[in-house]
Amino acid sequence: MSGIISFKGLIVVLFALLAPTCLSAQQQRPHSILVLDQSDLRGPFYYQVFAGLRDVVSKHSDRRVTLYSESLDLSRFNGPAYEEALKRYLKEKYQGKPLGTVVGIGAATTELVLKWRDELWPGMPIVFAMIDEADFARLKQKSNATGVIVKIPLADSIQAARAVVPDLDTVALVGDDWNNLVIYRNWNSEIAASTAGLKVIEIIGQKMSEIRKQVAELPDRSAIIYSAVYSDGEDTFYPPATAVKLIAEKANRPIVVAAETFLGPGIGGYVLVPSMIGAEAAKLALRILDGTSVSDIQPVYGGVKPIFDWPQMQRWNVGEASLPEGSEIRFRDPTFIEKYRWQSMAIASAILAQAGLIMFLLHERHLRRNAELESHQRMTELAHVNRQATTGELSSSIAHELNQPLGSILTNAETAELILKSDKPDLGEIREILADIKRDDQRAGEVIRRLRGFLKRTPFETRDIDLNEVMGEAFKFLSVQASARNVALYLQTVPGTLRIKGDPIQLQQVILNLVVNAMDAMATIPYGRTVIGRTELNDGSSVVISISDSGPGIPADKLAQVFDPFFTTKDQGMGIGLSIARTIILAHKGQIWAENQSGGGAAFHFTLPLAA
Ligand code: ADP
């Protein structure tokens, strides 16, 4: 047991001794990076490489990292003396500044960094960016370096040219000597294979004036493939992004380019994306600062993407579908929604709100329809009850109406019997009596038919009817009751017919209710009981029906209430007659109201629209 404990203890002690050493190895690498650019940092390409790098470094979460940067400007200055001067300058400037790693952008810069390392930064891990495969193979021997390799095969640029010009038969290759352009050096060996079947116009290493002349006269089915031009060939130097603009001013064909910063004058292609190159390099540099050994960090390929310029695509009529898979399109016109974001949102919200409102209203309408159907049903039932009650009230006059013809039938039959008993029965007289009997029978049958019709439980149904006729029938029905109650009943209708769309049984019920109410109201007055029914035309589109009486009228404060359900001033009243009358009239799209006449008595009016 004790042996095991002592062995364990030994391991613990060993770890305790080793741990601080490992930690200090990590902490020893200073958190500062020197970035050396091959070209002028103020040119757009190298500026974006540095911006991409700085962006990633600034987001490094563990510790703050100091960035130093220098432009070696090697495309414009070179030679041993210049290199020596640069070395001295860097040595002097950074001797008091501890560095964690040095990043060289471009092959020439990386080469110088590796050459100077032993003297300036012994043992320093180096990160390179934007060097091609050939340079990488050459520099690989130098240990303690990793970085980002970029690769633009000429075949990719040709593929982009074919996407832009579908029936391509000629390519114009424009640029400085590829041997001087690190990224494009490999095109020398690739040109034969990748341009097979195409005519090639080489405009390489020419003066700008010559380039501009030639690109203006290219054949129809051709595209320009631009690598990079760094000067006008007459001692003026500029970034290749400026050169491509000068070329585009004269070019009569689309320009396939190989760097993101050439988009605009260039239509696009497989392009170097400088910010991606800088970002990739920064990620590797940060791993070194955080203590990872450079030998454990494999170099990566990166920084190239198919990107195309939308305005140029429009100009050369290039569809999105013909671009290589995964292509990104830049500078596309913003869609209406992108351009008017808030306005679009407001419009969308308004449409949504409106749609919601419409849904709500439709739902409401559905509910209302249901309610209307239900209320029609109720009204029909209630109206039926009310008709039964009215018929009950009118039973004496109905009995009277029936008794009259039945009585005269009996009298006539008895008379006929007597005549037949005589020796010489007068057949002519008997014929007359039989005709009377037939007429009386028809009269009784008519009363029963009307009563049946009135008491029928029928659903609300409108049809073309003559309102004068409906009024006439109702008044006929009421006549016996009126004379039994000492009421003079008058009917004044407009001449001719009054065509309306309505349910005759229900309209008769309204008239009956109003006349019976009038007769009830006049029960207390000793004489002069009069009810007048009137039909009148109202402005040619509707008709007004009035029932007025000579009763006591309606107390002014009750005028509005009489139509309320269950409002009654009668001992045996139900208070539903007027409420049903109003429901029926409203269902006929009419109006009903009551008023007191100036000369005394109440008057009820209702309107109904005339049939079109
Ligand atoms: P009911 O006849 O069962 O009372 P109605 O709804 O038909 O029910 O009438 C309601 C009330 O309106 C009556 O009780 C009465 O007070 C008043 N009324 C109706 N018609 C007249 C009228 N022509 N003159 C005076 N009052 C009336």
Side-chain angles (χ1 to χ4, degrees), residues 517-518 521 549 553-554 562 567-570 573-578 602 604:
N517 273 348
D549 61 56
I554 304 163
V562 292
F567 174 83
T568 182
T569 54
K570 300 172 196 168
M574 292 210 294
I576 59 166
L578 287 181
F604 283 79

Side-chain angles (χ1 to χ4, degrees), residues 194-246:
S194 53
T195 60
L198 290 172
K199 276 179 258 162
V200 178
I201 302 172
E202 287 197 26
I203 312 175
I204 301 288
Q206 307 273 340
K207 287 181 179 171
M208 179 55 80
S209 52
E210 184 59 26
I211 299 174
R212 277 159 63 100
K213 209 157 87 198
Q214 289 200 40
V215 295
E217 292 162 359
L218 294 173
D220 272 355
R221 289 154 60 191
S222 67
I224 297 166
I225 295 182
Y226 173 78
S227 49
V229 173
Y230 279 87
S231 80
D232 65 355
E234 290 165 309
D235 289 338
T236 304
F237 290 86
Y238 30 55
T242 307
V244 73
K245 272 189 205 142
L246 296 172

Side-chain angles (χ1 to χ4, degrees), residues 386 393 513-522 547-549 551-555 558 561-581 594 596 601-604:
N386 173 247
E393 275 183 55
N513 278 341
L514 297 180
V515 175
V516 170
N517 273 348
M519 293 195 291
D520 287 348
M522 294 183 299
I547 307 291
S548 49
D549 61 56
I554 304 163
K558 298 282 185 298
Q561 280 179 50
V562 292
F563 294 99
D564 290 349
F566 310 115
F567 174 83
T568 182
T569 54
K570 300 172 196 168
D571 293 341
Q572 305 297 318
M574 292 210 294
I576 59 166
L578 287 181
S579 131
I580 284 175
N596 286 315
F604 283 79

Side-chain angles (χ1 to χ4, degrees), residues 154 158 171-175 178 187 191 195 200-204 225:
L154 180 56
I158 301 279
V171 284
L173 303 170
V174 176
W178 293 339
W187 287 14
I191 185 163
T195 60
V200 178
I201 302 172
E202 287 197 26
I203 312 175
I204 301 288
I225 295 182

Side-chain angles (χ1 to χ4, degrees), residues 24-93:
S24 69
Q26 280 193 12
Q27 282 173 344
Q28 269 166 15
R29 188 137 298 287
H31 266 57
S32 54
I33 303 172
L34 171 60
V35 182
L36 298 179
D37 269 298
Q38 179 144 316
S39 198
D40 187 354
L41 185 59
R42 283 157 297 184
F45 190 93
Y46 285 89
Y47 177 79
Q48 283 184 35
V49 173
F50 186 75
L53 187 143
R54 188 179 46 201
D55 202 36
V56 170
V57 167
S58 68
K59 287 179 189 139
H60 185 52
S61 51
D62 295 352
R63 287 176 58 183
R64 291 191 69 81
V65 176
T66 308
L67 267 185
Y68 302 108
S69 77
E70 301 289 342
S71 296
L72 304 192
D73 215 352
L74 297 182
S75 58
R76 292 191 286 186
F77 303 94
N78 45 47
Y82 177 62
E83 286 176 17
E84 191 54 33
L86 278 179
K87 185 177 78 180
R88 270 206 317 276
Y89 167 76
L90 293 173
K91 189 175 181 180
E92 280 297 317
K93 186 169 175 182

